[in-house]
Amino acid sequence: SGHAWLNHPDPSRSGVEGVRAIEQGVAFLVVRSQTDYQNNPRNGVGSDIASTFRLEMVLQLLPQKEMELRERHPAYGFETVSRMFYDLEKYTASKQQYIQRWRLTASRAQLKQQKRGVLIQPERQICVYVDPLIPQPFVESIKNALAQWSVAFEKAGWKNVFRLSSDVADASLVYGSILFRWGAAYNDNNYSKIVNPVTGEILCARVNMMDDNAKSLLDTYFLQCALL
């Protein structure tokens, strides 16, 4: 609803193309098309601009057990969610910030091992879907990034946190997943994540990759460094 080119589709040009079941939910493949009048500020002449998007809309039931809140430490650069606490006796209000993080779970027996310094694998791994269209050099960059994050997870007591996939069945932005796609409606790399605003749990994330940035950087590199 917050996107001007999507929020008022023409019913005669829009509809549902397909439906499929996912874990604890359903995914709809939809087409949204609309026409908007846009005025050119330079010459004052306007025109109708038609835009069409193919989207996947997901309705999924989330786990009922909520993640334990973890207070932000000022020494760390975590992204956070805020909670307000009201003291009715002192008539004061205070804001507390809690970090955004993935919810990794394991059995009680495994968690006891983890406290003794043993690395354990989460019951549910984070599924990292890599679009088969992504060129191999970019795929290697993704794998290198996951390897670096794996080191951080290992320091927190977790191993094998990520499950790499190129299966079309994993190509939806669903709970516990990171989606790497090739191409976007804009010529730029962009990403977004969905976070529970109450607990700070990261539910899923998406990254759209493009090679346009690499091309422009090559030109800049040539102009600035050719003599060196």
Side-chain angles (χ1 to χ4, degrees), residues 81-129:
V81 294
S82 298
R83 298 279 294 275
M84 292 296 297
F85 295 93
Y86 300 93
D87 190 329
L88 297 180
E89 295 181 357
K90 299 179 180 179
Y91 292 98
T92 59
S94 60
K95 183 171 69 173
Q96 185 60 55
Q97 292 180 312
Y98 299 93
I99 64 172
Q100 298 178 10
R101 59 193 179 103
W102 297 92
R103 184 167 73 94
L104 304 178
T105 59
S107 64
R108 289 185 178 180
Q110 285 185 312
L111 290 176
K112 288 182 179 179
Q113 291 182 334
Q114 188 183 61
K115 289 182 178 180
R116 294 196 295 267
V118 179
L119 295 180
I120 63 173
Q121 179 174 311
E123 293 176 328
R124 183 191 184 101
Q125 294 172 290
I126 300 173
C127 177
V128 181
Y129 172 78

